[in-house]
Amino acid sequence: MHNPFVSTDWLAAHLHDPHLVVLDASWHLPGAERNAHAEYLAGHIPGAVFFDIDAISDETTDLPHMLPAPSQFARQVGELGIADTDVIVIYDELGLFSAPRAWWSFTTMGAERVFILAGGGPKWRAEGRPLETGQVEREPRHFEVHVDDDAVAEFAEVQRASRTRDAQIVDARPAPRFNAEIPEPRPHLRGGHIPGSTNIPVGLLTEKGQMRSVEDLRTLFAERKVHLDRPIITTCGSGVTASTLALALQLAGAEEVAVYDGSWAEWGGRKDTDIEP
C-alpha cells in the first residue's frame, strides 16, 4: 500500500491547498471522561472539521459507531464539505488512536487520497504550530461512494472463521480484556474472546503516538503467528482499534484484511455466541 501518513511539516506546507480537508476524528473510550468535541472547539488545527465517529454511524442499530449505509455516509460527509476527490488528512488528539477508524471508513467508502497525520494533534501542538478555536463550517460538497465490501466482515463471516479457521481473527483489545481478567468498559458485555482468535493489543503497534516501523510490525505479527499471506479479520471492542490493527497489517504486507465492525460490542453482547475466557 502507499504510505498512509503525512508529516506535520507536510501538512503545515499544504494547509491552505484548495482541495485539502483536515479532519479531527478524536474519540475516547467510555469512561475516559473526555469530550472530544469540546476539546476540538477549544483548539484544533486551523481549518480542521470535526468528524464525529458516533454521529456518522449506522442509524438502524444500537451497536456503537457502526459503518453507516453508503447513502447516509455520502450525505453526512458531503454536508461537512468533503468530496471523494479531496485530499483528506485525519488526526486525533491521542496521536494514533481513533484516526485510523475514520481512515478506514473513508477508504472503505471509496475515497482514494486519505492520509493520517503522523503523531496527530499531540505532535502538532508539541511543535508549537498554530491552532484555532470554534466550529469550522465548509461549503457542502458531493461525495460519490464506491464501497469496498471486502474491507468489512459481518457477524456470520466471523462466526464461520471462528469455526473453520478459514480466516485468522486478530483482536486488538488489551490482554486483560481479551482474557476476561477485567470487565469490559461497556458493562452489559460478557468477558472473554472469540474462539480461535489471537490477541495483539493495539498498544504494541505504536510508540509515542506513532505507528512502529514496518520491520517491527512484521516481527510482531510473526511472533504472534499471524500469517500475512492468509485472510485476516481484525476485531476489538467496537471497531475503532481494530481499524488501527488493520492498517498495521496492511503496512506489513497483508493483502486480505477485513474489520469486524460489530466487534466485541456485538459478539460479547449476543446470547448465541461462543466465548473463550
Side-chain angles (χ1 to χ4, degrees), residues 73-136:
F73 186 87
R75 172 178 55 81
Q76 287 184 292
V77 301
E79 290 171 351
L80 290 178
I82 307 166
D84 56 294
T85 55
D86 285 330
V87 176
I88 303 168
V89 177
I90 305 167
Y91 75 96
D92 66 56
E93 288 294 355
L94 290 177
L96 189 68
F97 181 66
S98 53
R101 172 66 189 196
W103 169 87
W104 175 77
S105 299
F106 275 96
T107 57
T108 299
M109 290 294 180
E112 295 184 351
R113 298 192 292 174
V114 189
F115 302 90
I116 296 171
L117 180 63
K123 189 171 190 295
W124 183 272
R125 292 168 184 271
E127 293 169 348
R129 298 186 186 272
L131 298 169
E132 68 177 11
T133 60
Q135 189 78 24
V136 172

Side-chain angles (χ1 to χ4, degrees), residues 17-147:
D17 287 3
H19 295 291
L20 175 78
V21 183
V22 182
L23 302 182
D24 180 341
S26 298
W27 177 86
H28 303 290
L29 284 168
E33 298 183 354
R34 291 184 63 173
N35 185 317
H37 187 244
E39 292 179 11
Y40 161 83
L41 293 175
H44 54 260
I45 294 175
V49 174
F50 186 72
F51 183 85
D52 190 332
I53 287 173
D54 287 323
I56 303 176
S57 64
D58 188 349
E59 298 169 339
T60 68
T61 178
D62 292 332
L63 294 171
H65 43 252
M66 294 280 284
L67 196 68
S71 58
Q72 180 192 336
F73 186 87
R75 172 178 55 81
Q76 287 184 292
V77 301
E79 290 171 351
L80 290 178
I82 307 166
D84 56 294
T85 55
D86 285 330
V87 176
I88 303 168
V89 177
I90 305 167
Y91 75 96
D92 66 56
E93 288 294 355
L94 290 177
L96 189 68
F97 181 66
S98 53
R101 172 66 189 196
W103 169 87
W104 175 77
S105 299
F106 275 96
T107 57
T108 299
M109 290 294 180
E112 295 184 351
R113 298 192 292 174
V114 189
F115 302 90
I116 296 171
L117 180 63
K123 189 171 190 295
W124 183 272
R125 292 168 184 271
E127 293 169 348
R129 298 186 186 272
L131 298 169
E132 68 177 11
T133 60
Q135 189 78 24
V136 172
E137 303 287 348
R138 293 172 54 90
E139 289 294 320
R141 301 287 302 281
H142 174 70
F143 191 100
E144 186 171 339
V145 171
H146 300 280
V147 181

Side-chain angles (χ1 to χ4, degrees), residues 5 94-97 117-120 122-123 201-217 220 244 248 251:
F5 294 100
L94 290 177
L96 189 68
F97 181 66
L117 180 63
K123 189 171 190 295
V202 70
L204 299 179
L205 307 175
T206 62
E207 184 175 17
K208 297 179 179 178
Q210 298 196 51
M211 189 71 79
R212 290 185 177 274
S213 70
V214 170
E215 293 75 16
D216 285 350
L217 293 174
L220 173 63
T244 307
L251 284 168

